[in-house]
Amino acid sequence: MYELKTKENDNSVIEFIENVESPKKKEDAYRLLDIFTETTGYKAKMWGPSIIGFGSYHYKYKTGHEGDAPLVGFSPRKAKISLYFATGDDIKREELLNQFGKHTSGKACVYINKVADIDVDVLKALINRSIEFLRETYEVRN
């Protein structure tokens, strides 16, 4: 059976951010921590070794695969900062990303170099829309 590697744990979010090597990325991580906490109303938790997540939901796919994941989150990685939003709400997500600022995106992640490159109000809208979509689609845990 497939074992999820990215699970919520009790590791310290602050300790994780303090270990970010780049002073600029560390500063951006604290800024994102404030934005995500304020916007979601959830306390930040570590998911796996490197994702800071907010809230959680339980998903179950048609294949039978199921698990828990954060509603939204971010990770200050070496190359870029990864932002995690819900997948499946593609039309609304694209509308918001068109106004977001400098970024690249994959299926689940949006990548930015620094917070100064993006529109923080659009980030808040992406966070809120992601949570709204997940509440409509899955069982939100907290």
Side-chain angles (χ1 to χ4, degrees):
M1 179 106 179
Y2 175 76
E3 179 73 20
L4 265 178
K5 291 183 179 81
T6 307
K7 292 182 181 174
E8 184 178 333
N9 60 65
D10 290 326
N11 294 345
S12 168
V13 170
I14 300 302
E15 194 173 300
F16 171 71
I17 293 173
E18 281 300 314
N19 285 314
V20 171
E21 287 181 28
S22 161
K24 278 292 201 195
K25 276 224 173 61
K26 186 185 298 187
E27 183 181 319
D28 277 348
Y30 279 117
R31 177 108 192 271
L32 289 169
L33 179 63
D34 288 345
I35 292 166
F36 275 77
T37 301
E38 178 185 309
T39 305
T40 66
Y42 292 109
K43 183 176 187 262
K45 298 285 277 179
M46 290 302 301
W47 286 75
S50 61
I51 295 174
I52 299 169
F54 300 82
S56 69
Y57 70 99
H58 187 77
Y59 61 86
K60 186 170 185 176
Y61 299 136
K62 291 175 187 162
T63 61
H65 175 78
E66 63 182 297
D68 296 311
L71 294 168
V72 291
F74 71 92
S75 183
R77 303 201 185 270
K78 274 190 177 164
K80 293 185 182 263
I81 297 169
S82 300
L83 306 173
Y84 299 94
F85 303 112
T87 58
D89 189 23
D90 298 335
I91 294 169
K92 184 64 176 170
R93 178 179 158 144
E94 280 307 309
E95 286 174 19
L96 290 168
L97 287 176
N98 286 337
Q99 306 162 42
F100 191 48
K102 187 177 174 185
H103 74 281
T104 57
S105 59
K107 184 173 172 128
C109 294
V110 174
Y111 306 98
I112 64 171
N113 289 318
K114 56 188 181 282
V115 174
D117 288 342
I118 61 166
D119 184 320
V120 172
D121 289 333
V122 176
L123 172 59
K124 291 175 182 179
L126 281 161
I127 292 167
N128 285 325
R129 179 58 200 147
S130 187
I131 292 171
E132 183 182 321
F133 175 77
L134 290 169
R135 283 191 173 133
E136 292 167 358
T137 312
Y138 297 102
E139 175 192 337
V140 172
R141 296 266 164 104
N142 58 16

